[in-house]
Amino acid sequence: MIIITTISIFILSFLVWLANRFLPFKICPICAGVSGTWIWLIIGHFLGYQINLIIPAIMMGGSVVGMAYQLEKKLPAESSDWRAQLLWKILFIPVGFILAYSILIKGWLVFSVAIVFLLGISFLFLSSSNKSDSNKETIEKLKQKMDKCC
């Protein structure tokens, strides 16, 4: 099973790498390869195929941590303090593991609560980044106007 899983990760990653040449946005090929593989493994399990759930569980954990670190890069500048980043990871990663586990055991109520929590903290932590980005853009535009003016 691990050989099939590894081949799947390689193939899906390669396909996403190729697709990135044509897409207007970029997708991390290895992230897509790993998550795509565990998704089809879980679907196969739900359809009754014999899947050793340890394999998708490991990959789901990697996806949770990878997602936390990718989203951490999008934290606003004022959250660049190590304490804010640590709080982000302390909240996101363990609840992400609960979410992943709830998928494996078909615990849809726990899944729903975990997804709402993760969306909520993501909104709280990341929403001010849009404000700071728009503030930076406004400041830049004002600087340009002042340069042209005088």
Side-chain angles (χ1 to χ4, degrees):
M1 189 69 201
I2 194 68
I3 293 172
I4 293 169
T5 301
T6 305
I7 291 169
S8 173
I9 293 169
F10 284 138
I11 290 171
L12 292 176
S13 297
F14 178 72
L15 292 174
V16 171
W17 177 77
L18 286 176
N20 275 338
R21 296 175 151 190
F22 305 104
L23 293 173
F25 52 88
K26 298 297 174 215
I27 299 171
C28 170
I30 192 64
C31 298
V34 169
S35 60
T37 299
W38 70 252
I39 288 169
W40 75 254
L41 286 170
I42 296 297
I43 291 170
H45 173 72
F46 289 165
L47 293 174
Y49 292 95
Q50 290 287 79
I51 304 290
N52 181 349
L53 290 181
I54 292 173
I55 295 171
I58 291 168
M59 294 190 309
M60 292 168 90
S63 292
V64 167
V65 173
M67 192 178 305
Y69 279 93
Q70 287 300 318
L71 290 172
E72 180 185 31
K73 293 177 186 177
K74 300 195 180 310
L75 289 176
E78 58 270 10
S79 295
S80 63
D81 177 20
W82 67 270
R83 289 173 292 224
Q85 293 173 351
L86 180 61
L87 180 61
W88 164 255
K89 289 181 268 194
I90 285 172
L91 293 173
F92 191 93
I93 293 172
V95 176
F97 290 160
I98 292 169
L99 183 132
Y101 181 71
S102 70
I103 294 170
L104 293 172
I105 64 165
K106 299 181 188 177
W108 304 121
L109 178 62
V110 174
F111 172 84
S112 300
V113 171
I115 199 84
V116 167
F117 179 82
L118 290 176
L119 289 172
I121 65 164
S122 296
F123 179 76
L124 283 173
F125 273 82
L126 301 173
S127 65
S128 63
S129 69
N130 293 335
K131 293 176 191 169
S132 69
D133 287 346
S134 65
N135 287 343
K136 289 177 187 175
E137 289 175 23
T138 304
I139 291 170
E140 275 305 311
K141 287 179 183 176
L142 286 173
K143 284 182 182 178
Q144 289 174 356
K145 285 182 182 179
M146 288 177 67
D147 287 340
K148 289 180 183 177
C149 170
C150 305

